[in-house]
Amino acid sequence: MALARLSGKTGKALLAAAALAVAAAVAWQAWTSLRPDGPGEGFASGNGRIEATEIDVATKLAGRVVDIAVNEGDFVRAGQTLATMQVDVLQAQHQEARAMHQEALHAVAAARAQVALRQSDATAAQAVVGQREAELDAARRRLARSQTLAREGAASQQEYDDDRARSRSAQAALAASRAQAVAAQAAIDAARAQEVGAASRVRAAEATVARIAADIADSELKAPRDGRVQFRVAQPGEVLAAGGKVLNLVDLSDVYMTFFLPETVAGRVALGSEARIVLDAAPQYVIPATVSFVSSTAQFTPKTVETASERQKLMFRVKAQIAPELLRAHLAQVKTGLPGVAWIRHDGRAQWPESLSLRVPE
């Protein structure tokens, strides 16, 4: 009786073990059928996640967020307005700068008028110089005649003395008029210098107007490239410091998978090598990719990538880039963070197995 009970228990244990073995075999078969492999020495693989270039849309100047025109998950185009900042102060500064620009223009006009006035004064001074030269010439001729007449006794000594005094007076007047002409020319140079200074102030005012206008334009935060909104970091009404983040975008034209290869394999992987990516979420698809980066230095593999024993090995970081044309054709299906496997063919003579033949979404 006891032997029969023992045999019954043993039979049940054997049946349970057999059922467990069958289940394990079925699970292994299912896993191997869903997870493609690359047989042969010409292939290498690594686990990784889909990543993309992230862009922070931030405010250039400190200010208040007035409106955010997009939500998380929205697709945006390059140049599209995403958010607007308060610009009341900037608009007031812009008006002030424009008024200063007009004032500088008026200063230029006044300086030019001063140059014209000083040129007229210089012309008049030159005319006076000519007049004084003529008077001096006449006085010298008269003095010469008076001197001859006085020597011959035909004129008095008083007349000679008077003519000599007039000659000296005319000479002094000529010297004074020439000095006035030099002063008039100096006044022209000073007026021209003022005109140059006024013109410089005009250019400075124009630059200030342009700078403030650029700040006003930058207060409309626009998408630097096509992508998808990943996070709204700020909300309307918040006051941000300069450089404060408002949105986080993902550039869906720059998507890749980062994974790690051992040093024995990484040395045989060249930039531009053909790669295939299989995502855990969609094992029925095999996505084409190209090796765009191979690290020049080795590192210990991060904990999230390999097992504890494999982490003790030095590994090289590799990036497999997905073609932008394929990404643009399936923008709605592109998601970052998805885990998967990247296969690389480092031997150009090796043939891809049927399990890794290209299959992309329709």
Side-chain angles (χ1 to χ4, degrees):
M1 182 72 67
L3 182 60
R5 286 197 299 270
L6 182 59
S7 299
K9 291 181 179 179
T10 303
K12 290 180 181 180
L14 291 175
L15 288 175
L20 183 60
V22 170
V26 171
W28 172 261
Q29 180 64 29
W31 185 81
T32 54
S33 63
L34 292 177
R35 184 179 183 272
D37 58 4
E41 292 296 327
F43 296 90
S45 67
N47 299 326
R49 291 181 180 273
I50 293 294
E51 301 178 45
T53 299
E54 295 186 6
I55 305 168
D56 290 325
V57 178
T59 174
K60 177 181 175 182
L61 304 173
R64 186 184 303 276
V65 181
V66 175
D67 181 49
I68 300 178
V70 293
N71 294 309
E72 294 179 354
D74 289 350
F75 289 93
V76 297
R77 295 293 182 185
Q80 177 181 342
T81 299
L82 306 179
T84 54
M85 305 294 294
Q86 193 174 52
V87 293
D88 295 348
V89 174
L90 288 175
Q91 287 177 344
Q93 292 176 350
H94 189 251
Q95 293 176 357
E96 180 183 5
R98 292 181 63 183
M100 293 178 66
H101 177 249
Q102 290 296 321
E103 182 181 356
L105 289 176
H106 293 320
V108 168
R112 288 175 180 171
Q114 282 295 319
V115 170
L117 177 61
R118 297 309 177 188
Q119 287 175 339
S120 299
D121 292 343
T123 302
Q126 288 295 332
V128 172
V129 169
Q131 180 182 356
R132 298 308 180 203
E133 288 176 345
E135 290 176 353
L136 176 59
D137 182 66
R140 284 176 175 174
R141 291 176 182 275
R142 184 171 181 176
L143 175 61
R145 289 194 298 269
S146 296
Q147 186 177 13
T148 302
L149 293 173
R151 190 180 306 117
E152 295 174 353
S156 65
Q157 185 65 32
Q158 182 64 42
E159 290 179 355
Y160 170 71
D161 292 340
D162 290 343
D163 289 340
R164 186 170 57 182
R166 279 193 288 269
S167 176
R168 291 177 178 176
S169 176
Q171 188 173 1
L174 176 60
S177 63
R178 285 176 176 172
Q180 290 176 352
V182 172
Q185 185 61 46
I188 291 176
D189 295 339
R192 284 176 177 169
Q194 291 178 352
E195 181 183 2
V196 171
S200 298
R201 288 192 292 274
V202 168
R203 289 191 294 270
E206 289 174 348
T208 302
V209 171
R211 175 181 59 79
I212 298 175
D215 289 341
I216 292 175
D218 286 338
S219 296
E220 280 194 2
L221 307 185
K222 298 183 179 180
R225 61 182 75 177
D226 296 349
R228 184 172 59 206
V229 178
Q230 186 168 227
F231 303 113
R232 283 180 58 159
V233 184
Q235 298 298 330
E238 292 187 27
V239 176
L240 303 179
K245 298 177 183 178
V246 179
L247 296 166
N248 177 268
L249 302 183
V250 176
D251 182 5
L252 298 181
S253 65
D254 186 13
V255 178
Y256 52 89
M257 176 176 282
T258 298
F259 56 98
F260 292 82
L261 293 177
E263 53 193 51
T264 55
V265 177
R268 290 178 285 172
V269 176
L271 293 178
S273 297
E274 188 178 359
R276 306 280 171 90
I277 295 175
V278 180
L279 299 177
D280 294 353
Q284 69 274 24
Y285 299 124
V286 179
I287 304 170
T290 304
V291 175
S292 62
F293 172 81
V294 179
S295 176
S296 58
T297 57
Q299 65 183 92
F300 289 108
T301 312
K303 295 180 180 180
T304 56
V305 177
E306 301 292 348
T307 63
S309 61
E310 292 172 325
R311 286 201 305 273
Q312 304 307 315
K313 302 176 182 178
L314 288 176
M315 309 288 280
F316 286 80
R317 187 164 62 93
V318 182
K319 286 171 61 174
Q321 193 87 24
I322 302 176
E325 308 82 49
L326 180 62
L327 294 169
R328 282 192 288 268
H330 303 87
L331 282 179
Q333 297 170 304
V334 178
K335 296 178 177 63
T336 58
L338 295 178
V341 180
W343 291 93
I344 293 179
R345 184 175 67 176
H346 54 77
D347 186 353
R349 296 169 296 179
Q351 298 295 322
W352 288 102
E354 179 63 27
S355 59
L356 288 175
S357 60
L358 295 179
R359 297 186 298 275
V360 298
E362 298 295 333

